[in-house]
């Protein structure tokens, strides 16, 4: 059904900025942009950030910009999703002000603009139908991923509820593509797990207390809401420069520093999961799932994408945790909320971060961060997951599996296995250590015993040492 366009004045003529990072999504981009330009709420500033796409995504974006003056395109070098989103935040904040018109119009009938001077995001060109590129002053901000799409009245429904609200959190629906056959209804969304059935306002302390009851420790859905842009500017929050899961850091700190969160339990967003997504629910991470800017590190992990992914996840967790500790110490988060975060939420980040010591290489230099994390790990008794990862069984099995991926890996595997055995005295009895049961993350460590790496390694150690 065609939805009627709303009168923006009905909601105080608020301007909503929408940031859409784009990277090689030619298959899905039209559906995403159609859902944006046809919103019933029309007072929008749409910022498309082409993050170094090598397919036709930029051309598709230009075709939409030619027809809609609300669209601005930033074409930049590939830097990852966090980098692209931060460029968008700085654009709307007026921080990218040194702009000059390069020419009257390019071949696509769009005016093109260049950044003068400092250009940290490596922006090539900014495109717009506007003959004068003025930075719009927005009231609210929303993020949409370029392979997803939203309900046609999504923005309107959110704006209606944003009065006096820092963060509005709405629900979403999963949409599986390709050979990923899952029943979306059987996998509850995070908002569903909280049991919110009606609209309500809630404080951060109350939300994080509820998190413990529903065993929710992950907040990685930046696109699942609308933000008051002045609030975002006031807390000076941007996406962390980490390899993976920057959403978790951003959303967690956003919620923690807010005064009022509006819960809107309506499925307004369609989250597409396809084989090349970083999160594809297939249990496998292949080369195509590794972002372009991370592929240079594959050589440090015997060309194993899954191992690189685990390392990046551990390093990202460590980086985020140290920054969250810094925000707590600065007094930006209320003491009651800090206490709840430490007790209920941050322990999972800590568990992942402590796993850094299990890797043979640290090409991104994350290990020094553990000095600030270990006191918290000791206080919360977190470490079983990392200890099992470091065990002879797991490391030996992992080295063996990696050796079968290529001839090069096979040749390297003898040195890797030798280094694992050198650590044998320290690691050999971890499987049977009853003391692991006293750790907070004991149950998580038990899950690792079902991994193929651990099962193969256990057979090999029994064969070699029993």
């Amino acid at each position: 059904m065609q939805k009627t366009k709303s009168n923006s004045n009905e909601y105080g003529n608020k301007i909503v900025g929408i940031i859409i990072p784009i990277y090689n999504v030619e298959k899905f981009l039209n559906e995403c942009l159609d859902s944006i330009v046809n919103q019933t709420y029309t007072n929008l500033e749409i910022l498309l950030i082409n993050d170094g796409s090598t397919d036709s995504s930029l051309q598709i974006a230009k075709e939409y910009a030619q027809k809609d003056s609300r669209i601005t395109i930033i074409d930049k070098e590939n830097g990852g999703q966090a980098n692209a989103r931060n460029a968008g935040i700085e654009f709307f904040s007026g921080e990218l002000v040194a702009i000059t018109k390069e020419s009257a119009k390019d071949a696509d009938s769009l005016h093109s603009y260049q950044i003068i001077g400092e250009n940290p995001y490596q922006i090539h060109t900014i495109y717009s139908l506007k003959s004068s590129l003025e930075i719009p002053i927005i009231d609210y901000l929303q993020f949409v991923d370029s392979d997803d799409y939203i309900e046609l009245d999504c923005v309107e429904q959110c704006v209606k509820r944003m009065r006096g609200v820092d963060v509005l959190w709405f629900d979403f629906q999963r949409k599986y593509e390709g050979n990923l056959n899952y029943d979306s209804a059987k996998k509850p969304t995070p908002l569903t797990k909280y049991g919110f059935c009606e609209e309500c306002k809630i404080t951060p302390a109350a939300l994080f207390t509820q998190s413990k009851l529903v065993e929710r420790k992950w907040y990685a859905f930046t696109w699942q809401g609308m933000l008051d842009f002045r609030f975002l500017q006031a807390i000076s929050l941007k996406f962390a420069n980490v390899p993976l899961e920057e959403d978790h850091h951003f959303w967690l700190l956003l919620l923690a520093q807010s005064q009022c969160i509006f819960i809107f339990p309506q499925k307004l967003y369609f989250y597409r999961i396809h084989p090349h997504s970083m999160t594809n629910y297939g249990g496998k991470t292949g080369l195509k799932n590794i972002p372009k800017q991370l592929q240079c590190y594959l050589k440090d992990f015997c060309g194993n994408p899954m191992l690189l992914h685990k390392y990046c996840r551990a390093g990202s967790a460590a980086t985020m945790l140290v920054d969250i500790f810094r925000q707590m110490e600065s007094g930006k988060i209320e003491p009651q909320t800090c206490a709840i975060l430490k007790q209920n939420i941050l322990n999972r980040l800590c568990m992942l971060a402590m796993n850094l010591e299990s890797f043979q290489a640290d090409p991104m230099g994350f290990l020094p961060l553990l000095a600030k994390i270990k006191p918290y790990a000791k206080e919360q008794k977190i470490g079983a997951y990392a200890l099992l990862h470091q065990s002879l069984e797991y490391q030996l099995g992992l080295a063996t599996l990696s050796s079968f991926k290529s001839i090069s890996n096979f040749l390297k595997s003898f040195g890797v296995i030798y280094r694992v055995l050198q650590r044998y005295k320290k690691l050999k009895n971890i499987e049977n250590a009853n003391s692991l049961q006293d750790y907070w993350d004991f149950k998580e460590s038990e899950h690792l015993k079902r991994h193929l790496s651990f099962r193969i390694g256990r057979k090999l150690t029994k064969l070699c040492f029993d």
Side-chain angles (χ1 to χ4, degrees), residues 262-284:
F262 193 99
I263 304 297
F264 187 31
Q266 295 295 318
K267 297 183 185 297
L268 301 177
Y269 192 102
F270 294 89
Y271 174 47
R272 196 189 307 270
I273 302 168
H274 50 90
H276 295 165
S277 302
M278 276 303 295
T279 305
N280 63 26
Y281 290 83
K284 297 180 180 179

Side-chain angles (χ1 to χ4, degrees), residues 169 191 194 196 202-214 216 219 251 255-256 258 261 263 340 344-345:
W169 186 8
L191 202 57
Y194 280 91
F196 293 119
I202 193 170
T203 64
L207 180 64
F208 294 137
T209 299
Q210 179 75 356
S211 297
K212 182 179 181 181
L213 299 177
V214 299
R216 180 70 191 170
Y219 296 86
W251 195 237
L255 294 173
S258 66
I261 303 164
I263 304 297
I340 296 170
N344 300 343
I345 307 298

Side-chain angles (χ1 to χ4, degrees), residues 343-379:
Q343 191 65 35
N344 300 343
I345 307 298
L346 301 183
N347 22 38
R348 179 170 176 79
L349 273 179
C350 181
M351 177 191 76
L352 295 173
M354 292 294 290
N355 198 34
L356 276 171
E357 292 184 318
S358 69
F359 298 98
Q360 301 290 328
D362 181 30
M364 298 185 202
F366 292 126
L367 274 173
L369 296 172
L370 291 183
K372 296 183 178 180
I373 294 172
K374 285 183 176 180
Y376 171 73
K378 184 177 181 180
E379 174 190 321

Side-chain angles (χ1 to χ4, degrees), residues 175-184 186 273-275 280-282:
K175 184 171 182 179
Y176 297 96
E177 298 283 341
N179 59 356
L180 301 176
N181 298 315
Y182 297 89
D183 187 349
S184 181
K186 291 182 179 179
I273 302 168
H274 50 90
N280 63 26
Y281 290 83

